[in-house]
mmCIF file of all heavy atoms in Angstrom:
data_model
loop_
_atom_site.group_PDB
_atom_site.id
_atom_site.type_symbol
_atom_site.label_atom_id
_atom_site.label_comp_id
_atom_site.label_asym_id
_atom_site.label_seq_id
_atom_site.Cartn_x
_atom_site.Cartn_y
_atom_site.Cartn_z
ATOM 1 N N TYR A 294 102.100 98.952 108.426
ATOM 2 C CA TYR A 294 100.839 99.123 107.713
ATOM 3 C C TYR A 294 101.129 99.182 106.223
ATOM 4 O O TYR A 294 102.088 99.819 105.795
ATOM 5 C CB TYR A 294 100.147 100.422 108.157
ATOM 6 C CG TYR A 294 98.907 100.699 107.354
ATOM 7 C CD1 TYR A 294 97.691 100.147 107.731
ATOM 8 C CD2 TYR A 294 98.975 101.450 106.183
ATOM 9 C CE1 TYR A 294 96.562 100.352 106.966
ATOM 10 C CE2 TYR A 294 97.839 101.652 105.417
ATOM 11 C CZ TYR A 294 96.643 101.096 105.811
ATOM 12 O OH TYR A 294 95.537 101.279 105.035
ATOM 13 N N GLY A 295 100.305 98.535 105.444
ATOM 14 C CA GLY A 295 100.476 98.624 103.997
ATOM 15 C C GLY A 295 99.399 97.841 103.274
ATOM 16 O O GLY A 295 98.490 97.286 103.904
ATOM 17 N N THR A 296 99.513 97.798 101.947
ATOM 18 C CA THR A 296 98.580 96.970 101.184
ATOM 19 C C THR A 296 98.927 95.513 101.456
ATOM 20 O O THR A 296 99.984 95.209 102.027
ATOM 21 C CB THR A 296 98.718 97.230 99.679
ATOM 22 O OG1 THR A 296 100.042 96.826 99.291
ATOM 23 C CG2 THR A 296 98.502 98.686 99.314
ATOM 24 N N ASP A 299 102.248 94.875 99.960
ATOM 25 C CA ASP A 299 103.320 95.515 100.749
ATOM 26 C C ASP A 299 103.725 94.619 101.925
ATOM 27 O O ASP A 299 104.895 94.311 102.124
ATOM 28 C CB ASP A 299 102.844 96.850 101.374
ATOM 29 C CG ASP A 299 102.687 97.971 100.361
ATOM 30 O OD1 ASP A 299 103.329 97.904 99.304
ATOM 31 O OD2 ASP A 299 101.919 98.918 100.658
ATOM 32 N N HIS A 303 106.733 92.472 100.928
ATOM 33 C CA HIS A 303 107.850 93.364 101.263
ATOM 34 C C HIS A 303 107.824 93.667 102.762
ATOM 35 O O HIS A 303 107.873 94.838 103.169
ATOM 36 C CB HIS A 303 107.750 94.656 100.444
ATOM 37 C CG HIS A 303 107.600 94.404 98.985
ATOM 38 N ND1 HIS A 303 108.631 93.913 98.218
ATOM 39 C CD2 HIS A 303 106.542 94.526 98.149
ATOM 40 C CE1 HIS A 303 108.207 93.752 96.971
ATOM 41 N NE2 HIS A 303 106.948 94.108 96.907
ATOM 42 N N LEU A 305 108.395 94.530 106.469
ATOM 43 C CA LEU A 305 109.403 95.439 106.996
ATOM 44 C C LEU A 305 109.672 95.267 108.488
ATOM 45 O O LEU A 305 110.762 95.521 108.951
ATOM 46 C CB LEU A 305 108.959 96.894 106.760
ATOM 47 C CG LEU A 305 108.905 97.382 105.321
ATOM 48 C CD1 LEU A 305 108.356 98.802 105.283
ATOM 49 C CD2 LEU A 305 110.286 97.351 104.680
ATOM 50 N N ARG A 364 107.626 105.418 109.895
ATOM 51 C CA ARG A 364 108.419 105.828 108.725
ATOM 52 C C ARG A 364 107.827 105.237 107.463
ATOM 53 O O ARG A 364 107.708 104.013 107.321
ATOM 54 C CB ARG A 364 109.856 105.337 108.884
ATOM 55 C CG ARG A 364 110.546 106.003 110.062
ATOM 56 C CD ARG A 364 112.014 105.804 110.015
ATOM 57 N NE ARG A 364 112.516 106.072 108.682
ATOM 58 C CZ ARG A 364 113.598 105.517 108.167
ATOM 59 N NH1 ARG A 364 114.269 104.667 108.845
ATOM 60 N NH2 ARG A 364 113.996 105.808 106.958
ATOM 61 N N TYR A 365 107.458 106.123 106.543
ATOM 62 C CA TYR A 365 106.898 105.654 105.266
ATOM 63 C C TYR A 365 108.019 105.233 104.333
ATOM 64 O O TYR A 365 108.989 105.975 104.160
ATOM 65 C CB TYR A 365 106.081 106.765 104.616
ATOM 66 C CG TYR A 365 104.651 106.801 105.101
ATOM 67 C CD1 TYR A 365 104.303 107.546 106.225
ATOM 68 C CD2 TYR A 365 103.663 106.057 104.473
ATOM 69 C CE1 TYR A 365 103.003 107.563 106.704
ATOM 70 C CE2 TYR A 365 102.360 106.061 104.933
ATOM 71 C CZ TYR A 365 102.037 106.821 106.045
ATOM 72 O OH TYR A 365 100.748 106.814 106.508
ATOM 73 N N VAL A 366 107.906 104.046 103.747
ATOM 74 C CA VAL A 366 108.882 103.636 102.739
ATOM 75 C C VAL A 366 108.285 103.759 101.328
ATOM 76 O O VAL A 366 108.982 103.673 100.341
ATOM 77 C CB VAL A 366 109.385 102.198 102.965
ATOM 78 C CG1 VAL A 366 110.134 102.085 104.283
ATOM 79 C CG2 VAL A 366 108.223 101.216 102.917
ATOM 80 N N SER A 367 106.966 103.925 101.262
ATOM 81 C CA SER A 367 106.295 104.241 99.998
ATOM 82 C C SER A 367 104.994 104.956 100.365
ATOM 83 O O SER A 367 104.695 105.135 101.552
ATOM 84 C CB SER A 367 105.992 102.965 99.196
ATOM 85 O OG SER A 367 104.906 102.284 99.797
ATOM 86 N N ASP A 368 104.221 105.343 99.363
ATOM 87 C CA ASP A 368 102.967 106.061 99.648
ATOM 88 C C ASP A 368 102.024 105.226 100.496
ATOM 89 O O ASP A 368 101.191 105.764 101.231
ATOM 90 C CB ASP A 368 102.236 106.389 98.332
ATOM 91 C CG ASP A 368 102.950 107.475 97.579
ATOM 92 O OD1 ASP A 368 103.871 108.079 98.167
ATOM 93 O OD2 ASP A 368 102.603 107.701 96.397
ATOM 94 N N THR A 369 102.141 103.901 100.389
ATOM 95 C CA THR A 369 101.139 103.044 101.035
ATOM 96 C C THR A 369 101.681 102.230 102.204
ATOM 97 O O THR A 369 100.925 101.530 102.856
ATOM 98 C CB THR A 369 100.577 102.042 99.999
ATOM 99 O OG1 THR A 369 101.686 101.329 99.411
ATOM 100 C CG2 THR A 369 99.763 102.726 98.921
ATOM 101 N N HIS A 370 102.981 102.301 102.458
ATOM 102 C CA HIS A 370 103.588 101.341 103.378
ATOM 103 C C HIS A 370 104.438 102.040 104.436
ATOM 104 O O HIS A 370 105.339 102.805 104.091
ATOM 105 C CB HIS A 370 104.485 100.415 102.517
ATOM 106 C CG HIS A 370 104.924 99.157 103.206
ATOM 107 N ND1 HIS A 370 105.768 98.245 102.618
ATOM 108 C CD2 HIS A 370 104.649 98.647 104.435
ATOM 109 C CE1 HIS A 370 105.976 97.239 103.446
ATOM 110 N NE2 HIS A 370 105.303 97.457 104.543
ATOM 111 N N TYR A 371 104.135 101.799 105.720
ATOM 112 C CA TYR A 371 105.012 102.347 106.756
ATOM 113 C C TYR A 371 105.386 101.312 107.814
ATOM 114 O O TYR A 371 104.741 100.279 107.940
ATOM 115 C CB TYR A 371 104.439 103.619 107.398
ATOM 116 C CG TYR A 371 103.282 103.447 108.363
ATOM 117 C CD1 TYR A 371 103.454 102.883 109.630
ATOM 118 C CD2 TYR A 371 102.022 103.911 108.028
ATOM 119 C CE1 TYR A 371 102.400 102.761 110.522
ATOM 120 C CE2 TYR A 371 100.962 103.801 108.917
ATOM 121 C CZ TYR A 371 101.155 103.218 110.160
ATOM 122 O OH TYR A 371 100.112 103.102 111.037
ATOM 123 N N VAL A 372 106.436 101.634 108.556
ATOM 124 C CA VAL A 372 106.918 100.741 109.599
ATOM 125 C C VAL A 372 107.364 101.591 110.793
ATOM 126 O O VAL A 372 107.777 102.738 110.618
ATOM 127 C CB VAL A 372 108.097 99.877 109.071
ATOM 128 C CG1 VAL A 372 109.312 100.727 108.710
ATOM 129 C CG2 VAL A 372 108.496 98.783 110.053
#
Side-chain angles (χ1 to χ4, degrees):
Y294 175 86
T296 63
D299 288 337
H303 308 289
L305 292 176
R364 295 195 46 208
Y365 274 88
V366 296
S367 75
D368 288 350
T369 55
H370 195 183
Y371 74 71
V372 64

